Amino acid sequence: MEVVASQRQSLLSVDISCSEVTDSGLNFLSDCSNMQSLSCNYCDNVSEHGLGVLSGFSYLTSLSFKRSGGVTAEGMRVFANLVNLVNLDLERCLKIHGGLVHVKGLRKLESLNMRYCNYITDSDIKYLSDLTNLKELQLSSCRITDLGISYLTGLSKLTHLNLESCPVTAACLEAISGLASLMLLNLNRCGIYDEGCGSFEVHANTCEFSHM
């Protein structure tokens, strides 16, 4: 990592996924303040303390921490500094419940992946209501109910919404029908039945339903 970081300001993209890099290794990147893309997927040796290096990456537009135990609600405080972030991938990060409060100011965010973040609830989703540039939201297998979906009604640019295996019912369809830009809606393995679907105005080109 010391060799990689020696590029300093000219280093724009780093992918250390599936590596043995630790917090100390990540800290070598602290002088690479022009970084635009960083992927740390499956990096089991990076803790929430290592995330502090991100505070200097104000130009970062893409950040991925798939299946990282180091991303916690407390560690996500540093995300508030990433004002230019467009893509954020937190798939299978199981310790981020309560941390989305630090994302609410990221108004340039267009894609947010929280698939299989099993402890995300309605109280987390309310912090997404002001992310008006959001186009893709992946929430499969989260604990989102109809109340949580109601917080998304102002996301007029949302085109992709994945709620697979979330405990939502047909009651959420009224809120979803107001998402005029929606192109793909995944409701597989949700509690959606015929009753209540009649009031759903379909704006999507592709809607996936599962009648359980």
Side-chain angles (χ1 to χ4, degrees), residues 135-201:
K135 297 179 180 178
E136 180 176 355
L137 183 56
Q138 301 282 342
L139 295 173
S140 58
S141 297
C142 292
R143 298 182 181 179
I144 311 303
T145 70
D146 300 332
L147 175 62
I149 301 305
S150 70
Y151 296 131
L152 305 178
T153 54
L155 305 185
S156 60
K157 296 183 180 179
L158 198 66
T159 60
H160 290 66
L161 179 59
N162 184 357
L163 299 173
E164 183 172 353
S165 297
C166 292
V168 296
T169 70
C172 76
L173 298 179
E174 183 176 355
I176 292 176
S177 69
L179 301 175
S181 297
L182 204 62
M183 296 175 62
L184 190 148
L185 172 63
N186 188 348
L187 293 171
N188 280 327
R189 300 183 180 89
C190 294
I192 307 294
Y193 300 89
D194 292 343
E195 184 178 355
C197 291
S199 62
F200 182 40
E201 182 181 355

Side-chain angles (χ1 to χ4, degrees), residues 18-29:
C18 302
S19 71
E20 299 297 323
V21 172
T22 65
D23 293 344
S24 298
L26 202 59
N27 283 331
F28 279 119
L29 300 175

Side-chain angles (χ1 to χ4, degrees), residues 75-197:
M76 287 177 69
R77 287 181 177 274
V78 71
F79 288 8
N81 299 319
L82 307 180
V83 294
N84 287 304
L85 204 62
V86 175
N87 303 302
L88 178 58
D89 194 334
L90 299 174
E91 183 174 314
R92 295 185 186 274
C93 291
L94 303 181
K95 302 177 183 178
I96 63 174
H97 170 58
L100 289 182
V101 63
H102 306 301
V103 173
K104 66 178 183 178
L106 305 184
R107 302 298 178 85
K108 294 184 179 181
L109 200 64
E110 295 183 5
S111 176
L112 177 58
N113 181 9
M114 294 190 294
R115 295 174 67 224
Y116 310 115
C117 294
N118 307 92
Y119 302 104
I120 291 296
T121 66
D122 296 338
S123 63
D124 297 297
I125 298 302
K126 67 181 180 181
Y127 295 115
L128 305 183
S129 60
D130 291 331
L131 301 183
T132 53
N133 280 311
L134 203 61
K135 297 179 180 178
E136 180 176 355
L137 183 56
Q138 301 282 342
L139 295 173
S140 58
S141 297
C142 292
R143 298 182 181 179
I144 311 303
T145 70
D146 300 332
L147 175 62
I149 301 305
S150 70
Y151 296 131
L152 305 178
T153 54
L155 305 185
S156 60
K157 296 183 180 179
L158 198 66
T159 60
H160 290 66
L161 179 59
N162 184 357
L163 299 173
E164 183 172 353
S165 297
C166 292
V168 296
T169 70
C172 76
L173 298 179
E174 183 176 355
I176 292 176
S177 69
L179 301 175
S181 297
L182 204 62
M183 296 175 62
L184 190 148
L185 172 63
N186 188 348
L187 293 171
N188 280 327
R189 300 183 180 89
C190 294
I192 307 294
Y193 300 89
D194 292 343
E195 184 178 355
C197 291

